[in-house]
Every structure is written in C-alpha cells, then in structure tokens.
Amino acid sequence: RMIRPMELKKSAMETLAAVGMAVGEMTKANPQLTDESVGHMLQEGIVPVMLAVLQSSSSQSLTTKDTPSSRIRESAGIVISAMAVCSVEAMMELQSCHAITSMLSAMSDPGLATLPSQMCGDGAPKCLGMLQTAAALLTFSQHDENKTESDQIDRLLEAIDAGAITTLSRI
C-alpha cells in the first residue's frame, strides 16, 4: 500500500468536493444527467470512502488550525452533502449505513463546528457539509413513504444519541 503525501490527499479531496458540488448544481439543469453521474460515483464506492475518512480522522482534534487533515474531513462532508441533495439513491445508501451518526460524530470536533470554512466562505462552519447531510437525512426519513412512524422516531433518536443537541448548540 502506497503512502501518499498529506498535501496530495488534501488536493484530491478538495477536487472531489468541487466535482461533487458541480454535479449537485447540474441537478437544476439536467436531472437525468445528474442521476447518471451520481450513479457512477455510488458504483465507485464514494459514500463508504467518505464515511471512512470522517471516521478515521475523528480521533484527531483539529482545534483551531486549518490543516490538511481538517480540509480532508471538510471535503468529505461536502462530497456527501452534494450527493445527498441530488440523489435518492445516495440518500438510501447513507441511511443504510447510518451516516447521520458519522456526520454528527465528526461535527462534534470543535475545530469543525466552530471554525469558519475556507472552502465554503461566508463564515460557514467547516462542518457545513456534514450538517446539511444530517438535516437532509432527517428530512428524507420523515418523508419516506416506506418508513413507519417507528422508523422515523428511531432516526430522530439516532441523531440525539449521536450528540445532535450538544453539537448544534456549539455552532
């Protein structure tokens, strides 16, 4: 297994985040093309890789610095968010692997929850992509006709158990 420099990993993740955001924006112009693009990303296993990035770095506190590691985590959140807002298939995959827990756990890092993003701008927190994904997952589960009321309550409890209230109070 090859070990790559952190700066190269950061650049690759930022590029993937930009591609994800572009695909999300294409939804507005051509939903069919977007479904195909997101489908290819899902086939390549993007969701599990992005979740692994968030989980593998969760033990590293990012404190107050804008480091390559924090940019990698922020990018992973942006990629997942971009896919979630434009694809039902991505939402179903995120739900099946309980991504809301991963999102909220990663957001609990003070460096992601309180520092402004250099990527998103406008004073947005570094955890914006993760926050948008968690919100989209909760909204999706509330409107999913295949989910029972018990399933919907379970999703809300999962968010609370993952620290949603504490995390959101810091943002």
Side-chain angles (χ1 to χ4, degrees), residues 65-151:
K65 295 182 181 178
D66 186 34
T67 64
S69 180
S70 70
R71 296 288 282 256
I72 288 170
R73 289 178 74 192
E74 181 181 0
S75 295
I78 291 170
V79 170
I80 290 173
S81 174
M83 292 177 66
V85 298
C86 67
S87 168
V88 172
E89 291 81 16
M91 289 296 280
M92 291 189 308
E93 184 170 344
L94 287 165
Q95 277 192 337
S96 72
C97 55
H98 303 282
I100 197 161
T101 301
S102 300
M103 297 293 113
L104 291 168
S105 294
M107 285 171 44
S108 69
D109 186 312
L112 287 175
T114 58
L115 290 177
S117 169
Q118 299 298 316
M119 295 172 67
C120 296
D122 294 332
K126 287 182 171 286
C127 66
L128 181 62
M130 293 165 244
L131 181 61
Q132 289 173 325
T133 303
L137 283 165
L138 286 172
T139 303
F140 183 76
S141 69
Q142 295 302 309
H143 296 356
D144 187 352
E145 295 173 1
N146 297 324
K147 299 286 183 195
T148 65
E149 189 173 309
S150 177
D151 292 334

Side-chain angles (χ1 to χ4, degrees), residues 1 4 14 23 25 44 49 51 53 60 64 69 104 112-114 116 120 128 133-134 154 165:
R1 184 175 151 145
R4 303 194 190 290
E14 289 175 343
V23 167
E25 285 298 313
E44 292 296 326
V49 170
L51 291 175
V53 166
Q60 302 172 9
T64 59
S69 180
L104 291 168
L112 287 175
T114 58
C120 296
L128 181 62
T133 303
D154 286 344
I165 294 169

